[in-house]
Amino acid sequence: MKVLVIGSGAREHALCHSLSLDPDVTALHCAPGNAGIAEVAELHQVDALDGAAVSGLAVRLGADLVVVGPEAPLVAGVADAVREAGIPVFGPSKEAARLEGSKAFAKDVMAAAGVPTARSYVCTTPDEVDAALKAFGAPYVVKDDGLAAGKGVVVTDDLEAARAHAAGCLGAPPAPSGQRGSVVVEEYLDGPEVSLFAITDGETVVPLQPAQDFKRALDGDEGPNTGGMGAYSPLPWADPKLVDEVVQTVLQPTVDEMRRRGTPFSGLLYAGLAITSRGVRVIEFNARFGDPETQVVLARLKTPLAGLLTAAATGTLAHLEPVRWSDDAAVTVVVASHNYPGTPRTGDPIAGLDEVAAQDSPHAYVLHAGTRLEGDTVVSAGGRVLSVTATGKDLTEARDRAYRAVSRIRLDGSQHRTDIARKAAEGA
Ligand code: AMP
Ligand code: GLY
């Protein structure tokens, strides 16, 4: 089968890497892709947010399946355009993608479905924000209602910082149309976080293995929130019943509620969870594979990926054989540009990629995020530049291999966390 992947990050490189290993995939295309994806797929330059352009490309290529990686094209309705062209697509409709596109909408669906989540207020004025902050107390949690690439959330003990972030999200003063943004203020959830992905066709829910990502920029979970600085799977500390519990209390009720509303959700439903002292709570939903968790989850997936995604796209998941997993552990360390998550410096040459391929493969490999080719040289082209991924018999071995590979990479001014999966590997 011919598969077209939309997107250009390390998540899409991980998807393309797995699809390239699937014997059923005879041709692999990606738009727009990056320098690493170019090694396993044919790249095409289209605007990933333009549904007509993407569906036109899929028709031209005779694609049997289109996989939409990032949230922005989903929220823009790209999956709808491909579906209308009669091509199976892995990814929810524009309506269903609101589960990620609007935090207020997600809260509404969770309330209707009885899904446990943080108590919250949706605020549209500074006075409402103040009242909500006062009601919950510190630590304060303030979220931009719309998409913000993982950077729209502020968790802080500083009341003024919470108010300032809310004011920024609301936008002041109101436009002549009277329209202004909204902001979600919610109670603080304690406890470790888990990312659990499920493949769904709108009815059947097939959970993948849980992973944990590291959202803060600096070691010890210090510094600002980012798109994600690393990940690992499995989670040795998690209750083995966690996945079943989340399917029953979160994923299946949400999928059922979306179907009941006439806007079934098919594709990847990502539950960001907090394992609090009072039980599991949803922090957020995403409507697509997480980045960098996908890098570690797919590293452990043994079931061929194209069949799994096609079953979701064609409504046949109920007939699928159980998903098979490797017993290996996987760790991903993100190498980011100078100044990320602020405005990153780009255009710097990246050295050492050949050394990783020669000395660490197949246990460790480099998935590209923000990279492009300048002549024959791979240069940085975004905030998160590389996802260095490794597998091993346990987390200690996987993390040693990942960090050995990271040490071979040379990118001027780059940064990475040194503590990805450390506590989990040490059994702490
Ligand atoms: P989100 O974009 O909603 O996933 O939030 C980004 C990050 O902010 C999460 O991964 C958490 O680390 C943190 N966060 C979000 N909501 C809460 C909450 N209610 N309590 C504590 N931390 C939160
Ligand atoms: N790893 C967080 C995300 O993909 O949203």
Side-chain angles (χ1 to χ4, degrees):
M1 63 188 291
K2 295 181 189 159
V3 184
L4 168 63
V5 175
I6 303 301
S8 62
R11 162 187 48 212
E12 286 75 25
H13 195 178
L15 288 164
C16 286
H17 178 71
S18 293
L19 289 166
S20 74
L21 300 174
D22 183 334
D24 283 339
V25 176
T26 51
L28 187 56
H29 300 269
C30 185
N34 61 36
I37 297 174
E39 290 173 18
V40 289
E42 189 181 327
L43 301 193
H44 304 269
Q45 291 311 316
V46 296
D47 177 359
L49 296 177
D50 182 341
V54 170
S55 66
L57 174 66
V59 169
R60 254 194 335 279
L61 294 172
D64 301 294
L65 175 69
V66 175
V67 181
V68 183
E71 59 274 22
L74 294 167
V75 169
V78 166
D80 306 71
V82 175
R83 215 171 269 122
E84 277 159 27
I87 297 175
V89 55
F90 183 82
S93 66
K94 177 179 176 154
E95 275 299 308
R98 290 181 69 209
L99 267 186
E100 172 163 2
S102 164
K103 291 189 188 289
F105 175 78
K107 286 286 183 191
D108 186 57
V109 170
M110 284 190 264
V115 169
T117 184
R119 288 178 297 134
S120 65
Y121 293 105
V122 180
C123 306
T124 53
T125 67
D127 285 349
E128 286 173 9
V129 169
D130 281 346
L133 292 172
K134 194 163 165 227
F136 292 129
Y140 304 103
V141 182
V142 179
K143 302 185 172 187
D144 197 340
D145 181 33
L147 287 184
K151 291 170 239 162
V153 177
V154 161
V155 181
T156 177
D157 284 320
D158 178 347
L159 180 60
E160 282 317 310
R163 298 178 72 201
H165 182 61
C169 298
L170 289 176
S177 63
Q179 197 162 14
R180 55 193 310 166
S182 57
V183 60
V184 176
V185 176
E186 67 179 34
E187 78 180 308
Y188 177 78
L189 299 173
D190 63 350
E193 289 179 36
V194 171
S195 300
L196 184 62
F197 302 164
I199 309 266
T200 176
D201 54 11
E203 208 162 334
T204 302
V205 170
V206 176
L208 303 183
Q209 288 278 305
Q212 189 173 51
D213 85 343
F214 292 76
K215 290 244 167 70
R216 299 288 187 136
L218 305 175
D219 280 6
D221 295 329
E222 301 282 341
N225 263 321
T226 69
M229 294 299 287
Y232 68 93
S233 176
L235 311 180
W237 48 269
D239 183 342
K241 296 193 291 294
L242 177 71
V243 172
D244 284 347
E245 181 192 337
V246 175
V247 170
Q248 280 164 31
T249 61
V250 173
L251 296 165
Q252 192 70 58
T254 301
V255 165
D256 291 346
E257 171 63 16
M258 292 299 285
R259 197 174 61 251
R260 192 191 65 73
R261 292 178 178 220
T263 52
F265 184 101
S266 77
L268 195 293
L269 180 58
Y270 162 148
L273 305 162
I275 314 298
T276 77
S277 45
R278 290 174 297 131
V280 174
R281 298 282 185 279
V282 174
I283 295 179
E284 62 162 351
F285 281 129
N286 292 317
R288 38 77 195 173
F289 279 99
D291 188 344
E293 299 96 312
T294 300
Q295 288 84 306
V296 288
V297 171
L298 293 186
R300 303 182 54 230
L301 177 71
K302 281 168 81 175
T303 300
L305 184 60
L308 191 57
L309 303 184
T310 302
T314 56
T316 55
L317 268 183
H319 311 297
L320 200 81
E321 311 247 307
V323 173
R324 289 176 295 114
W325 296 97
S326 142
D327 291 331
D328 279 354
V331 171
T332 287
V333 178
V334 169
V335 176
S337 300
H338 180 69
N339 204 37
Y340 177 77
T343 307
R345 195 173 84 200
T346 59
D348 289 306
I350 304 165
L353 297 170
D354 294 347
E355 289 159 47
V356 176
Q359 301 188 42
D360 304 310
S361 176
H363 298 299
Y365 48 95
V366 178
L367 298 167
H368 291 219
T371 69
R372 64 184 159 78
L373 275 176
E374 234 175 59
D376 287 341
T377 309
V378 179
V379 302
S380 60
R384 292 188 292 175
V385 181
L386 304 170
S387 270
V388 180
T389 301
T391 54
K393 62 180 184 308
D394 53 25
L395 286 173
T396 301
E397 189 175 58
R399 125 173 247 284
D400 287 349
R401 286 173 169 165
Y403 278 109
R404 197 173 317 133
V406 168
S407 72
R408 300 191 207 280
I409 306 280
R410 293 175 304 279
L411 167 62
D412 202 24
S414 73
Q415 39 163 334
H416 64 267
R417 281 183 62 157
T418 66
D419 63 348
I420 302 300
R422 184 166 64 206
K423 277 196 204 150
E426 287 168 355

